[in-house]
PDB file of all heavy atoms in Angstrom:
ATOM      1  N   GLY A 257      -0.546   6.800  15.848  1.00 94.00           N
ATOM      2  CA  GLY A 257      -1.867   6.353  15.378  1.00 94.00           C
ATOM      3  C   GLY A 257      -1.881   6.246  13.866  1.00 94.00           C
ATOM      4  O   GLY A 257      -2.344   5.238  13.308  1.00 94.00           O
ATOM      5  N   ILE A 258      -1.332   7.252  13.197  1.00 96.00           N
ATOM      6  CA  ILE A 258      -1.269   7.221  11.727  1.00 96.00           C
ATOM      7  C   ILE A 258      -0.406   6.026  11.288  1.00 96.00           C
ATOM      8  O   ILE A 258      -0.695   5.360  10.301  1.00 96.00           O
ATOM      9  CB  ILE A 258      -0.700   8.559  11.185  1.00 96.00           C
ATOM     10  CG1 ILE A 258      -1.704   9.683  11.480  1.00 96.00           C
ATOM     11  CG2 ILE A 258      -0.420   8.482   9.695  1.00 96.00           C
ATOM     12  CD1 ILE A 258      -1.222  11.078  11.150  1.00 96.00           C
ATOM     13  N   GLY A 259       0.620   5.730  12.089  1.00 94.00           N
ATOM     14  CA  GLY A 259       1.484   4.576  11.804  1.00 94.00           C
ATOM     15  C   GLY A 259       0.712   3.268  11.854  1.00 94.00           C
ATOM     16  O   GLY A 259       0.849   2.426  10.973  1.00 94.00           O
ATOM     17  N   GLY A 260      -0.122   3.100  12.895  1.00 93.00           N
ATOM     18  CA  GLY A 260      -0.934   1.877  13.027  1.00 93.00           C
ATOM     19  C   GLY A 260      -1.848   1.716  11.822  1.00 93.00           C
ATOM     20  O   GLY A 260      -1.969   0.620  11.253  1.00 93.00           O
ATOM     21  N   LEU A 261      -2.457   2.819  11.397  1.00 96.00           N
ATOM     22  CA  LEU A 261      -3.366   2.752  10.254  1.00 96.00           C
ATOM     23  C   LEU A 261      -2.594   2.512   8.953  1.00 96.00           C
ATOM     24  O   LEU A 261      -3.096   1.840   8.048  1.00 96.00           O
ATOM     25  CB  LEU A 261      -4.196   4.038  10.160  1.00 96.00           C
ATOM     26  CG  LEU A 261      -5.126   4.258  11.370  1.00 96.00           C
ATOM     27  CD1 LEU A 261      -5.879   5.565  11.230  1.00 96.00           C
ATOM     28  CD2 LEU A 261      -6.106   3.098  11.515  1.00 96.00           C
ATOM     29  N   SER A 262      -1.361   3.047   8.886  1.00 96.00           N
ATOM     30  CA  SER A 262      -0.534   2.795   7.699  1.00 96.00           C
ATOM     31  C   SER A 262      -0.196   1.304   7.609  1.00 96.00           C
ATOM     32  O   SER A 262      -0.140   0.738   6.512  1.00 96.00           O
ATOM     33  CB  SER A 262       0.766   3.592   7.760  1.00 96.00           C
ATOM     34  OG  SER A 262       0.488   4.950   7.966  1.00 96.00           O
ATOM     35  N   VAL A 263       0.014   0.675   8.780  1.00 94.00           N
ATOM     36  CA  VAL A 263       0.261  -0.778   8.799  1.00 94.00           C
ATOM     37  C   VAL A 263      -0.958  -1.492   8.221  1.00 94.00           C
ATOM     38  O   VAL A 263      -0.840  -2.394   7.376  1.00 94.00           O
ATOM     39  CB  VAL A 263       0.549  -1.274  10.238  1.00 94.00           C
ATOM     40  CG1 VAL A 263       0.477  -2.793  10.321  1.00 94.00           C
ATOM     41  CG2 VAL A 263       1.916  -0.817  10.702  1.00 94.00           C
ATOM     42  N   ALA A 264      -2.160  -1.055   8.638  1.00 94.00           N
ATOM     43  CA  ALA A 264      -3.394  -1.689   8.151  1.00 94.00           C
ATOM     44  C   ALA A 264      -3.503  -1.549   6.626  1.00 94.00           C
ATOM     45  O   ALA A 264      -3.813  -2.524   5.923  1.00 94.00           O
ATOM     46  CB  ALA A 264      -4.608  -1.068   8.838  1.00 94.00           C
ATOM     47  N   VAL A 265      -3.213  -0.344   6.109  1.00 95.00           N
ATOM     48  CA  VAL A 265      -3.295  -0.108   4.664  1.00 95.00           C
ATOM     49  C   VAL A 265      -2.264  -0.978   3.934  1.00 95.00           C
ATOM     50  O   VAL A 265      -2.543  -1.574   2.890  1.00 95.00           O
ATOM     51  CB  VAL A 265      -3.053   1.402   4.361  1.00 95.00           C
ATOM     52  CG1 VAL A 265      -2.929   1.646   2.870  1.00 95.00           C
ATOM     53  CG2 VAL A 265      -4.186   2.238   4.927  1.00 95.00           C
ATOM     54  N   CYS A 266      -1.083  -1.084   4.540  1.00 95.00           N
ATOM     55  CA  CYS A 266      -0.010  -1.885   3.944  1.00 95.00           C
ATOM     56  C   CYS A 266      -0.387  -3.370   3.913  1.00 95.00           C
ATOM     57  O   CYS A 266      -0.123  -4.070   2.936  1.00 95.00           O
ATOM     58  CB  CYS A 266       1.260  -1.659   4.764  1.00 95.00           C
ATOM     59  SG  CYS A 266       2.688  -2.367   4.035  1.00 95.00           S
ATOM     60  N   ILE A 267      -1.039  -3.832   4.980  1.00 94.00           N
ATOM     61  CA  ILE A 267      -1.459  -5.235   5.025  1.00 94.00           C
ATOM     62  C   ILE A 267      -2.496  -5.479   3.915  1.00 94.00           C
ATOM     63  O   ILE A 267      -2.514  -6.519   3.284  1.00 94.00           O
ATOM     64  CB  ILE A 267      -2.031  -5.594   6.416  1.00 94.00           C
ATOM     65  CG1 ILE A 267      -0.909  -5.593   7.462  1.00 94.00           C
ATOM     66  CG2 ILE A 267      -2.723  -6.954   6.393  1.00 94.00           C
ATOM     67  CD1 ILE A 267      -1.373  -5.833   8.894  1.00 94.00           C
ATOM     68  N   LYS A 268      -3.341  -4.484   3.671  1.00 93.00           N
ATOM     69  CA  LYS A 268      -4.382  -4.660   2.651  1.00 93.00           C
ATOM     70  C   LYS A 268      -3.788  -4.670   1.232  1.00 93.00           C
ATOM     71  O   LYS A 268      -4.070  -5.564   0.450  1.00 93.00           O
ATOM     72  CB  LYS A 268      -5.431  -3.556   2.761  1.00 93.00           C
ATOM     73  CG  LYS A 268      -6.448  -3.626   1.639  1.00 93.00           C
ATOM     74  CD  LYS A 268      -7.732  -2.953   1.952  1.00 93.00           C
ATOM     75  CE  LYS A 268      -8.633  -2.873   0.733  1.00 93.00           C
ATOM     76  NZ  LYS A 268      -9.311  -4.089   0.427  1.00 93.00           N
TER      77      LYS A 268
END
Side-chain angles (χ1 to χ4, degrees):
I258 293 173
L261 296 178
S262 306
V263 167
V265 172
C266 188
I267 291 176
K268 174 158 172 78

